[in-house]
Amino acid sequence: MTSSQDWGLARRIGFRFGIVFGALVLYPFPLSVLPELDWLTGPLHKPLEWATLWFAQAVLGLPEPAIAFNGSGDRTFDYVQLLLFATLGVIGAVVWSALDRRRSYPRLAAAAHVVLRYSLACAMLSYGLSKVFRFQFSDLSPYNLRTVLADSSPMGLLWKFMDYSAPYTRFGGLCEAIPGFLLLWRRTATIGAVMVIAVMTNVVMLNLCYDVPVKLYSTRLLVMAGLIAVPDARRLLAAALGRAAAEVPARVRMSPRRERVRQIAKAAFLLAVAVELALRFDGRRRNDPDNELYGNWVVDTFSADGVERPPLTTDPLRWQSVTANKTAVAIWLMSGDSDPPATGRRMYPWKVDAASHTITVTLEKQDETWHYARPDPDHLVIDGVHLGASLHVTLHARPSELMTRGFHWINEKPFNR
Amino acid sequence: MTGSQGWGLARRIGFRLGIVFGVLLLYPFPIDALPKADLVSEPLRQPLVWATAWFARAVLGIPGLADVSNGSGDRTFDYVRLLLFAILGAIGALAWSARSELGRGGPRSYPRLAAAAHVMLRYYVAYAMLAYGLAKIFRLQFPPLSPIGLQVTRGDSSPMGLLWGFMGYSGPYTVFGGLCEAIPGLLLMWRRTATIGAVVVMAVMTNIVMLNFSYDVPVKLYSMQLLVMAGLIVLPDARRLLAAALGRATAEVPPRARRTPWRERVRLVSKAAFLVAMAVGLYLNLASSPFLDPIHEFYGNWVVDTFVADGVERPPLATDPVRWNSLSANVTIATIWLTSGGHEPGPDRDHYRWKVDEANHTITVTVDDDGKVKEVWHYSHPAPDRLVIDGVHLGKSLHVTLHVAPPTRLLTRGFHWINEAPFNR
């Protein structure tokens, strides 16, 4: 990429397209990875947002696409934006090619390589650390333990698979963060990029196969890693096949003063990125209080308005079990098990106060306050008025096979169910 | 590894240990990779099985260890065998070193033995990766999520079951995983491409070792063995590769010394013959797999509408220990979820081996663990979404009507290029 000879026509045009398209895709990097700059990057994003909305409606004739951030990177908006950028890239490349007589762009290519490295490094560090610190995937809740695989979405299947294992999630995070780190230095960038190619190929496949709406973004990161590795690809392949490989010429040094400025700027940038990551992850730390009822409970007896109701699966009122998450409760009705779960299950936000042994359940229209007692750690008694009926419910704890299995060096036989 | 200079003392001793230990570990490879070789390889394996059982009993005081294959590679037996091989390797290396080092003029390096060991390692890892890769590509290791698997709560899964369900859901991802194993396996078969293959195996097997440790999959020892072997294959090239990746110049690897044309031809023919034999062996293994049984006409989940036992209809009371709530019909097994169950473990969920005969509309159910007590039920299909079962089950004459369970969220979601919002349930 930094060869001093003339480039071929196709390479020149392709390069110009890549620069215009890439600048649009990465904009406003590096401002987007610096701390406390949301007030600036928000407005900077606006023109591209407006252009995309205009393009969607005026050119493509689509209804106005939603732009609210909701965790999906594969919205109609994102596809339209990609198409817009590709179109602008083509127009830009045509205009540039018509006006510019230069035969190669070694310095611009070197600069683009640096920008690619840093932006990919920031993305991999951010994803990696959010796995290492268990933000992207966190602990399996009692509710997740109570549901069958059939009622998951494919994305939910992947999420709960990862949620279960903290060690595996952290391993996955390190597989992203370590190559991200290696990308920050020229010498180690190729190794980092090759590792990113391996890891992101897996992530792209997971996103495609499990309906995770990060298909475009993960593919973009994979392509960027490929572009970073391209200048070295031939040498690496030759070495792997047992052939000789030449040395990469060392970077041309600038004047000592400019080298010092460069070093200080790099150190300042890395520090700023580190601060941004630290602030982001610290702000996202979950402080949901654990409550002493956290877990799954099976109903033994159920009285409504003084009348005990037998456990008939045709009874629309009687509870079958209670799932106590940190800030929400799910009540599974007797009539629910064979129906779609939405009809056989009620979910409410709740708050458990261990001091006064009360539960505050938030229904649509009003709050209910229930009282509870713990005759022993495995049993629970709930008294309260729920939806107009005065309830007295006794329950026992339901341990989970999954969470109690643990690690085993020796398995006399596989335990697969 | 093939340097012609003298090796250091530590390297010589380490190499001898590796050879003795490795021979024991790989034995009787490559015979066990050939088709229909069980007849030969099983008797060949027996002495090591006896030695391990004896070692466990006489030395470690663990009686009754047997090499019963049940899918686990992390049995006590496997750990004892590993310990035995390590001890024999140490004894072998000591004896060998005493002979070579104390006598005058003993060899100072083993370039030819090292080259042979390298070839052996390559083929062994290649065979293992191809076998695992093909088992994924043809969906034998991770068959599609079964009706039973769909109805199990996560809390009632084991960690291994969680991984199996996760993989079983996605055909494309399982095939991708298989290709990630089979392709480097292929690359290991040729000297030129072996290093690339071994590096890819290291990446893939690191992930698998982590999965096995994190999800209680009892293939910890064997997956680590493959990872270490891939590392040993890369070792001679590691310094060159790292230098090239760091931007430094690297020398060419000298080509293999050719022998006489006649011996080269023999080598080529025997390699081709071995590869063909291996391919046939892999194919026969796949073709004989029980997972390829065809599914029957009511494979799926069924919900009980009415349940009559000995002529009396039983209401859906959750205290009734007999009434069925639903039926998960796999190919060769079935789970009956009792109304008293509510996803409780133990007696509220009955699990049987069964065989569906579509021609006679009968189901043969094996109700005991020894496979001796069998029941024959009759079924009819009044409509594609209706099922009626009649039969004597555990002494009671049953008449059960069922309807097909509604389509599941998991299996009906499908692929979406555009997601206006994530669908994460």
Side-chain angles (χ1 to χ4, degrees), chain B residues 371-388:
Chain B
K372 291 196 184 106
V373 185
K374 293 197 162 131
E375 297 171 351
V376 178
W377 304 345
H378 292 265
Y379 72 89
S380 67
H381 239 342
D385 58 349
R386 301 272 150 188
L387 181 67
V388 179

Side-chain angles (χ1 to χ4, degrees), chain A residues 320-337:
Chain A
Q320 191 265 344
S321 57
V322 170
T323 299
N325 273 11
K326 286 180 180 174
T327 58
V329 64
I331 295 166
W332 305 80
L333 302 178
M334 283 308 299
S335 56
D337 245 2

Side-chain angles (χ1 to χ4, degrees), chain A residues 33-35 118 184 264-279:
Chain A
V33 296
L34 299 181
Y118 279 98
L184 295 173
I264 291 170
K266 174 166 182 171
F269 176 72
L270 294 188
L271 193 66
V273 168
V275 169
E276 197 276 333
L277 288 171
L279 287 177

